[in-house]
Amino acid sequence: MSLEDAAALRVLRDAVAQDPLVHRFYTRWFALDASVRDLFPAEMAGQRAAFAQALRWVYGELVEQRAAEPVAFLAQLGRDHRKYGVLPAHYGTLRRALHAALRDHLGQPGPAAWTAAVDAAATASLNLITGVMSGAADAEEGPAWWDGTVVEHIRASRDLAVVRLRLDRPMDYHPGQYLTAQVPQCPRRWRYLSPAIPADPDGLIEFHVRVVPGGLVSTAVVAETRPGDRWRLSSPHGGLHVDRDGGDVLMVAGSTGLAPLRALILDLARHAVNPRVHLFFGARYRCELYDLPTLWQVAAHNPWLSVSPVSEYGADPSWAADYPDCTPPRGLHVHQTGRLPDVVTRYGGWGDRQILICGGPDMVRATRAALIAKGAPPERIQHDPLSG
């Protein structure tokens, strides 16, 4: 009953979202296995946040008794973690350290939440998590990583860059998937990126990167990357997709959240017949709607695609004059001003559409909540687990 005990799993879901628990886990893991410490960067804040977010999503799905997506996600994580040099023995110490951290965290003085039922749920869930990850890593026969050379770096705005690479060997991925990248300026720091074009047989790949406040990797990519730099990429994962037989589509992209949706649109453009796709592309300022000319070209040749540009502010700042003009020719939908969730839901809940949302976590959560409040079925809404 341990993995069917929603109440016990809910206790674990709430615990893994708390910073003290995550700190305690890593401290225990590094004490149990000193070799693990060398696999991670010296500054662990980003790693802890990503780990907590992933665990919280997995436990949230288990609470709702949805096992298929977490198992697929964990298998992808296991394959992906080969890039760190993770060995099978590391999963055993990870399981022991996380179980001990949960027990100590939930058994602290006060109304103790560490009951026999929670203990059983923790044991079963951690066996599932580490077992799936380890098994997927052992079974994977493909490369642990891909290396590539930067061939073009375009500064699209003050804090946004388009980076194009040629990989040493082509990577096979599905449009809409994401991966992690390590850049030479920040060794052992991996950042999630989404390819902005479908997989290319010649090994070309493109990323759109915006500076995250305090983000060392994103700052290095936007400000310091130069042609000739060598990047390392992980295996792809994520299940964002368009079912070409599943009805019309609503896409909502905030800033560089456009990248995976752009890859999906470019892939759809290879087909003669597609469902109707309406894309809302939003940013703070008009000048940050950096890819509108490309979207205009695609829409001009594909009548199934409609694009609505949205900016929070009506006027551009003075620094916009230093960067390429992204104003498209006439032909797109009329530019709208306002918060992206508000503009999208002015047209209703879009409940009859396949709905894909990509962007920062706050935008994804706000847009998803606004659409559900308008009547969109939650099961029709897709977003990456690490974004929502």
Side-chain angles (χ1 to χ4, degrees):
M1 284 291 292
S2 51
L3 285 179
E4 288 78 43
D5 189 340
L9 290 168
R10 195 173 292 112
V11 171
L12 297 171
R13 179 201 63 193
D14 295 342
V16 298
Q18 299 178 33
D19 286 340
L21 179 280
V22 179
H23 276 270
R24 182 177 280 118
F25 156 66
Y26 277 109
T27 300
R28 281 188 171 272
W29 195 18
F30 296 158
L32 275 174
D33 189 345
S35 67
V36 174
R37 185 64 187 90
D38 291 336
L39 305 180
F40 295 95
E43 203 288 309
M44 289 287 294
Q47 175 67 30
R48 286 193 296 265
F51 180 74
Q53 192 171 21
L55 272 185
R56 184 168 62 249
W57 179 81
V58 168
Y59 274 108
E61 293 294 290
L62 293 178
V63 166
E64 300 299 329
Q65 298 297 294
R66 295 191 292 258
E69 287 192 33
V71 167
F73 175 67
L74 291 167
Q76 290 174 330
L77 279 184
R79 291 188 289 269
D80 180 65
H81 274 56
R82 295 177 303 143
K83 70 177 186 276
Y84 295 117
V86 172
L87 302 174
H90 292 144
Y91 287 104
T93 55
L94 183 153
R95 181 178 63 251
R96 289 164 53 197
L98 189 49
H99 186 276
L102 284 164
R103 182 191 62 222
D104 292 351
H105 182 77
L106 293 170
Q108 290 181 3
W114 188 257
T115 63
V118 171
D119 188 358
T123 299
S125 59
L126 294 177
N127 285 341
L128 172 69
I129 290 168
T130 57
V132 170
M133 291 180 68
S134 179
D138 288 344
E140 180 58 46
E141 297 179 352
W145 59 74
W146 283 257
D147 290 329
T149 302
V150 174
V151 295
E152 192 171 10
H153 179 276
I154 301 169
R155 193 72 176 265
S157 79
R158 183 174 61 173
D159 61 356
L160 195 153
V162 174
V163 184
R164 299 186 176 111
L165 297 92
R166 184 180 297 276
L167 303 180
D168 295 350
R169 53 187 165 188
M171 177 190 293
D172 187 22
Y173 58 87
H174 299 296
Q177 288 193 297
Y178 58 90
L179 47 79
T180 54
Q182 179 184 240
V183 303
Q185 295 87 350
C186 303
R188 291 190 295 172
R189 293 180 182 273
W190 295 81
R191 188 185 192 276
Y192 286 101
L193 297 175
S194 295
I197 60 174
D200 179 74
D202 294 325
L204 293 174
I205 194 166
E206 177 178 317
F207 300 109
H208 302 170
V209 183
R210 182 177 174 185
V211 171
V212 176
L216 295 178
V217 177
S218 61
T219 300
V221 170
V222 173
E224 302 173 18
T225 294
R226 298 292 182 269
D229 284 358
R230 296 283 289 171
W231 286 22
R232 176 161 290 181
L233 309 179
S234 75
S235 56
H237 40 152
L240 204 67
H241 69 282
V242 170
D243 180 356
R244 293 182 57 242
D245 298 317
D248 293 339
V249 183
L250 168 68
M251 294 183 175
V252 184
S255 187
T256 53
L258 174 68
L261 302 183
R262 180 187 194 267
L264 285 164
I265 289 169
L266 293 176
D267 186 61
L268 288 172
R270 297 171 173 176
H271 302 276
V273 179
N274 285 304
R276 289 183 301 159
V277 176
H278 195 120
L279 168 67
F280 286 88
F281 176 29
R284 293 168 302 178
Y285 302 105
R286 287 173 178 255
C287 64
E288 294 177 318
L289 297 169
Y290 60 96
D291 208 40
L292 282 182
T294 300
L295 295 172
W296 176 85
Q297 291 178 2
V298 177
H301 293 90
N302 295 276
W304 47 264
L305 176 64
S306 300
V307 179
S308 291
V310 180
S311 63
E312 291 187 34
Y313 303 102
D316 279 339
S318 58
W319 52 258
D322 296 332
Y323 296 98
D325 181 9
C326 61
T327 304
R330 295 178 62 85
L332 289 178
H333 278 55
V334 174
H335 177 276
Q336 299 178 69
T337 303
R339 293 178 62 252
L340 195 51
D342 298 335
V343 173
V344 172
T345 53
R346 286 175 195 166
Y347 299 89
W350 303 86
D352 60 337
R353 306 290 181 105
Q354 302 177 68
I355 301 173
L356 288 72
I357 311 172
C358 292
D362 290 342
M363 186 283 287
V364 171
R365 281 190 285 266
T367 303
R368 184 178 188 275
L371 286 165
I372 291 173
K374 284 282 190 173
E379 63 272 14
R380 299 277 287 175
I381 301 176
Q382 298 181 54
H383 56 80
D384 287 328
L386 295 174
S387 296

